[in-house]
Amino acid sequence: MRLEVIGRICPDCDRFYQMTENIVRDLHMNAEIQRITDTKDILKKFGMIHVPALAADGKILFEGKIPAPEKLKDKLAHLH
């Protein structure tokens, strides 16, 4: 599975990326985590979205805010 944390370099996006990494590790998921920060790449690949966002294999799971850790863990566990 490919997870993409989408958003500029900022404290919220950094926190979202770190939280995603921690949860993937806790769940023992076999996932590649990428960070997409370039606005042109974001628009080209995902169109107009609100950041921060998280996509799994190209499908947006969260957009516009950082989810609660429990909500993120639950969503990722169901993908696992």
Side-chain angles (χ1 to χ4, degrees):
M1 172 184 308
R2 186 181 73 251
L3 297 174
E4 295 165 302
V5 178
I6 307 157
R8 297 170 295 279
I9 302 296
C10 71
D12 283 343
C13 295
D14 292 344
R15 189 165 46 98
F16 196 13
Y17 182 84
Q18 188 62 51
M19 184 171 60
T20 302
E21 272 190 329
N22 292 340
I23 290 172
V24 164
R25 186 176 41 251
D26 290 349
L27 293 173
H28 305 287
M29 291 178 69
N30 183 19
E32 173 189 347
I33 304 171
Q34 295 179 323
R35 183 132 183 219
I36 313 268
T37 59
D38 185 76
T39 302
K40 290 178 187 174
D41 291 341
I42 293 168
L43 290 173
K44 182 179 177 183
K45 188 167 188 177
F46 299 101
M48 188 59 88
I49 61 169
H50 299 281
V51 296
L54 177 68
D57 294 329
K59 181 182 178 218
I60 299 292
L61 301 178
F62 294 100
E63 175 181 4
K65 66 179 183 176
I66 299 172
E70 304 81 31
K71 190 170 184 175
L72 177 59
K73 188 171 188 173
D74 184 57
K75 180 69 95 174
L76 293 178
H78 283 93
L79 296 175
H80 182 25

